[in-house]
Amino acid sequence: MKLSHALAASVLLTGNVYALEPIYDSDSNSGRTTQYNHGPVKSVMVQTSSAHYFAAYLTLNDQASCADAGLYNEAGNKLIAQLNVADNKSVSGPVAEGHETLAKVLKVTCYDAEGSSYSVHHKVPAAPAITYDRAMQFDNWNVGGGRVPGYFESVHLTTQLSVNTFAPDGQCSILRFPNGDVPALFNGKFSVENVHSDFYSHGGKVAYDAYSSSLTYAIKCVNAGGMTMLFDEWTINEFAQSAELSTNYY
């Protein structure tokens, strides 16, 4: 490594005494891919959808190189994760828990054919946010003829669902488990693509497992910054129906 390159890399880690020339996202959004119209890097493409591991692929101009990379809190410019750069093509590394809901920026220190130094930026969104309100109506209890604990013949779900993927290319879907079925909550669809921020109001019939007296389903949204899953878990009997919502980041 040239001395000037080593100095520039050390500056990225220890301070801003000598500023690298910044190159920002040309489209100013947190999509998976950014194209650059000048500098050593042609494009960055995020290859993961994980809040706890980040990987991206770099396309460089001729004789360009990259030596250092980190994931930073976009608001406070605090280093969140030091990343590895391999073969001038890939950037990757683990991201500690606790940063899932923060907007981030990837910064890669790169050099052009003349040895000029740059800090190439790519926005990385926070893991998607899911806000959910629902009501379940249970009617017509059936004793089950002694074969099962008994069950409701009619179950109806009414929902108010809001999602924000913080990116133009986010995706959301409904996950159904073996102990039941729910309607297509995205206004009649079980999945939506290229969703940034939207609201859905829907309702329909529900089926649940009378043998286990339970129902579980999940709403999943993904983007380049992670996967968010909101679980709705119901325990159902004749006299009480209880539920718990929980959110997990992956």
Side-chain angles (χ1 to χ4, degrees), residues 154-188:
S154 176
V155 183
H156 189 275
L157 175 67
T158 302
T159 67
Q160 305 285 325
L161 171 61
S162 176
V163 300
N164 192 339
T165 68
F166 306 107
D169 51 8
Q171 300 176 334
C172 294
S173 60
I174 306 300
L175 297 185
R176 293 168 289 175
F177 295 89
N179 68 337
D181 196 9
V182 294
L185 301 182
F186 297 103
N187 292 347

Side-chain angles (χ1 to χ4, degrees), residues 44-64:
V44 171
M45 175 180 289
V46 179
Q47 298 177 302
T48 47
S49 295
S50 171
H52 304 133
Y53 188 85
F54 181 84
Y57 183 83
L58 309 177
T59 302
L60 305 185
N61 290 307
D62 291 341
Q63 299 182 28

